[in-house]
Structures are given as C-alpha cells and as structure tokens.
Amino acid sequence: MTLLKYLRACAICHNYLPPCDWLCSFCWKCVEREYLYSEDCYRLEKQIPYLRLIDWHEDNHLLIQYLIQSLKGGGPEFIFKRFALEMFSRILPLGLWDKNTFPLFLPVPPKNPKDKEHAFSLAKALNFYFAGELTQVLQRKISSSFQKIKNKRERAKINIIKTRADFSSSKPIILVDDVLTTGSTAKACWRALNQPKNFFVFSLVWKKPKQGNRKLNFL
Ligand SMILES: [Zn+2]
C-alpha cells in the first residue's frame, strides 16, 4: 500500500515517472521556489494577522492552480505534513506567541459538507508540529442560494456559527484554510468566535485579489 502511493503520475505535469512523491522532482522544485521567506509570511490586515506559505499571483498562476486542484481531489496526509513542516519552520521563528503556550487550531468549515476537508487536513498537520490542540467549533450555515453567491459583499455575510456556545480560549487561536482570498470567511469566523485578541489565520496559499477584477476570486 505504501509503495502504491508513489506509483502515480505527477499531480501537476502528469508525467508518469515513478516513484513520484505526489509531484515529480521538477514540479517540487518549482513549487518550493514559491515558498516565502519567514519574514514575508506575515501580513496584518484590519487587525488580523495572516500567515501563508505561498503567494498565488499572475506569474505562478497555473502552477499553483494545478497544485491546489490536485489537493482538492483528495491529497494524502503526507502532502499536508510536508507543507505544514515548511510553514512551521518559517512561522515559529516569528515568535507570534509565548513559547510556553500551546495554540488551538481551528479548521475553516468546508463550503460544502460533502467536500473533503482540506482545511482540516492542513490544521491537523500544523497541529502535529506546533503541538497544540485541534478542535472544530465552527460550522457554516448554508442557505440554498449560497452556491450562487459570488460577489464580495455577499460573501462577507457568510454565516458561520459556533457549535459550542460556551467556547472561549485564552490560548492563541489559529484559523486554518488551504486558500485565502478576500479573507471574508476568516473574518466571519473571527466574528463568530466573538473577536478574540490572540487570533491568527494560517493558509497554505494567499490568492492576491487582482484589483478591479473580482472575477478572479473564484475559489
Ligand atoms: Zn511534474
């Protein structure tokens, strides 16, 4: 079974050159070139600190698109662990919280409950390295018209609720998503948690919204 995982085509270029560790060595090099330096992983926007491993922009658009699509098809656990380790090694030196406190990882609830939970897989992998606690206290209230909602103003109204009304934490709370675009989902989660102070958003990729062209925010 272990060997079978490696007998597959590269998830990006589809070249069949086993053994292949999800991507072929050439595609891994291309992806690794996109990893941000530790000091560039952090950005503060409207009081919320966002941390990501890769910026998704025009120059690497196709590469990252294929990577994300391959994960949406159901990436195995080891791929999330690989990314989580890269994130860990960059984020830890930033000293975001006291080293004696252990953070709480909260995956963003999936848009569709039937979807494979990539945010959960990434949160689990990050939790492994940061030695924190993984919990799921957020849920999406899905209206029948939700799938049709595309524009930013409507998306900002995303209804996220706490599943445990008494939930609160003095630990750093880390919201985890695979791809972050406008941040409206993250903001909705922050509000649902009663706007905690020690709140961070970790994502694998930040898809920079192209100014004046909202159509690019398709994820
Ligand atoms: Zn490849």
Side-chain angles (χ1 to χ4, degrees), residues 10-15 20 23-28:
C10 167
I12 288 183
C13 71
H14 300 297
N15 273 339
C20 184
L23 308 181
C24 68
S25 55
F26 175 77
C27 289
W28 266 122

mmCIF file of all heavy atoms in Angstrom, residues 10-15 20 23-28, ligand 1:
data_model
loop_
_atom_site.group_PDB
_atom_site.id
_atom_site.type_symbol
_atom_site.label_atom_id
_atom_site.label_comp_id
_atom_site.label_asym_id
_atom_site.label_seq_id
_atom_site.Cartn_x
_atom_site.Cartn_y
_atom_site.Cartn_z
ATOM 1 N N CYS A 10 2.632 12.610 -11.773
ATOM 2 C CA CYS A 10 2.797 13.876 -11.053
ATOM 3 C C CYS A 10 1.468 14.639 -11.086
ATOM 4 O O CYS A 10 0.826 14.748 -12.131
ATOM 5 C CB CYS A 10 3.896 14.692 -11.718
ATOM 6 S SG CYS A 10 3.956 16.395 -11.165
ATOM 7 N N ALA A 11 1.053 15.166 -9.948
ATOM 8 C CA ALA A 11 -0.252 15.840 -9.858
ATOM 9 C C ALA A 11 -0.278 17.172 -10.601
ATOM 10 O O ALA A 11 -1.338 17.733 -10.829
ATOM 11 C CB ALA A 11 -0.620 16.054 -8.392
ATOM 12 N N ILE A 12 0.882 17.678 -10.997
ATOM 13 C CA ILE A 12 0.907 18.942 -11.737
ATOM 14 C C ILE A 12 1.151 18.709 -13.231
ATOM 15 O O ILE A 12 0.337 19.083 -14.064
ATOM 16 C CB ILE A 12 1.965 19.913 -11.149
ATOM 17 C CG1 ILE A 12 1.469 20.435 -9.785
ATOM 18 C CG2 ILE A 12 2.200 21.091 -12.095
ATOM 19 C CD1 ILE A 12 2.375 21.461 -9.130
ATOM 20 N N CYS A 13 2.268 18.083 -13.578
ATOM 21 C CA CYS A 13 2.587 17.947 -15.012
ATOM 22 C C CYS A 13 2.048 16.640 -15.604
ATOM 23 O O CYS A 13 2.062 16.454 -16.817
ATOM 24 C CB CYS A 13 4.084 18.074 -15.243
ATOM 25 S SG CYS A 13 5.020 16.660 -14.629
ATOM 26 N N HIS A 14 1.601 15.728 -14.756
ATOM 27 C CA HIS A 14 1.033 14.434 -15.152
ATOM 28 C C HIS A 14 2.030 13.505 -15.829
ATOM 29 O O HIS A 14 1.638 12.534 -16.470
ATOM 30 C CB HIS A 14 -0.213 14.615 -16.036
ATOM 31 C CG HIS A 14 -1.297 15.380 -15.319
ATOM 32 N ND1 HIS A 14 -1.910 14.912 -14.180
ATOM 33 C CD2 HIS A 14 -1.839 16.586 -15.555
ATOM 34 C CE1 HIS A 14 -2.775 15.802 -13.744
ATOM 35 N NE2 HIS A 14 -2.758 16.840 -14.564
ATOM 36 N N ASN A 15 3.297 13.828 -15.727
ATOM 37 C CA ASN A 15 4.303 12.890 -16.229
ATOM 38 C C ASN A 15 4.323 11.666 -15.333
ATOM 39 O O ASN A 15 4.277 11.789 -14.108
ATOM 40 C CB ASN A 15 5.692 13.543 -16.236
ATOM 41 C CG ASN A 15 5.932 14.298 -17.523
ATOM 42 O OD1 ASN A 15 5.286 14.040 -18.537
ATOM 43 N ND2 ASN A 15 6.840 15.252 -17.470
ATOM 44 N N CYS A 20 6.992 8.748 -7.571
ATOM 45 C CA CYS A 20 6.627 10.151 -7.611
ATOM 46 C C CYS A 20 6.008 10.530 -6.265
ATOM 47 O O CYS A 20 5.038 9.930 -5.841
ATOM 48 C CB CYS A 20 5.611 10.319 -8.743
ATOM 49 S SG CYS A 20 5.108 11.982 -9.028
ATOM 50 N N LEU A 23 4.236 14.988 -6.440
ATOM 51 C CA LEU A 23 4.716 15.728 -7.607
ATOM 52 C C LEU A 23 6.043 15.108 -8.032
ATOM 53 O O LEU A 23 6.733 14.486 -7.223
ATOM 54 C CB LEU A 23 4.941 17.200 -7.264
ATOM 55 C CG LEU A 23 3.804 17.964 -6.588
ATOM 56 C CD1 LEU A 23 4.221 19.410 -6.370
ATOM 57 C CD2 LEU A 23 2.528 17.899 -7.398
ATOM 58 N N CYS A 24 6.403 15.328 -9.291
ATOM 59 C CA CYS A 24 7.722 14.876 -9.727
ATOM 60 C C CYS A 24 8.763 15.838 -9.152
ATOM 61 O O CYS A 24 8.420 16.926 -8.684
ATOM 62 C CB CYS A 24 7.796 14.816 -11.259
ATOM 63 S SG CYS A 24 7.737 16.427 -12.046
ATOM 64 N N SER A 25 10.019 15.449 -9.212
ATOM 65 C CA SER A 25 11.041 16.284 -8.559
ATOM 66 C C SER A 25 11.133 17.663 -9.214
ATOM 67 O O SER A 25 11.378 18.663 -8.543
ATOM 68 C CB SER A 25 12.397 15.582 -8.577
ATOM 69 O OG SER A 25 12.731 15.253 -9.892
ATOM 70 N N PHE A 26 10.882 17.731 -10.521
ATOM 71 C CA PHE A 26 10.933 19.028 -11.209
ATOM 72 C C PHE A 26 9.822 19.944 -10.680
ATOM 73 O O PHE A 26 10.064 21.110 -10.344
ATOM 74 C CB PHE A 26 10.784 18.829 -12.724
ATOM 75 C CG PHE A 26 10.696 20.129 -13.477
ATOM 76 C CD1 PHE A 26 11.835 20.883 -13.722
ATOM 77 C CD2 PHE A 26 9.468 20.615 -13.919
ATOM 78 C CE1 PHE A 26 11.759 22.095 -14.391
ATOM 79 C CE2 PHE A 26 9.377 21.831 -14.588
ATOM 80 C CZ PHE A 26 10.535 22.569 -14.828
ATOM 81 N N CYS A 27 8.591 19.414 -10.578
ATOM 82 C CA CYS A 27 7.471 20.243 -10.101
ATOM 83 C C CYS A 27 7.657 20.626 -8.631
ATOM 84 O O CYS A 27 7.289 21.724 -8.220
ATOM 85 C CB CYS A 27 6.139 19.542 -10.335
ATOM 86 S SG CYS A 27 5.715 19.490 -12.093
ATOM 87 N N TRP A 28 8.248 19.704 -7.841
ATOM 88 C CA TRP A 28 8.517 20.067 -6.439
ATOM 89 C C TRP A 28 9.468 21.259 -6.374
ATOM 90 O O TRP A 28 9.286 22.172 -5.576
ATOM 91 C CB TRP A 28 9.126 18.887 -5.656
ATOM 92 C CG TRP A 28 8.098 18.078 -4.936
ATOM 93 C CD1 TRP A 28 7.843 16.749 -5.085
ATOM 94 C CD2 TRP A 28 7.160 18.539 -3.947
ATOM 95 N NE1 TRP A 28 6.807 16.359 -4.259
ATOM 96 C CE2 TRP A 28 6.386 17.434 -3.558
ATOM 97 C CE3 TRP A 28 6.901 19.776 -3.367
ATOM 98 C CZ2 TRP A 28 5.369 17.527 -2.609
ATOM 99 C CZ3 TRP A 28 5.883 19.883 -2.426
ATOM 100 C CH2 TRP A 28 5.135 18.761 -2.056
HETATM 101 ZN ZN ZN B 1 5.654 17.172 -12.512
#
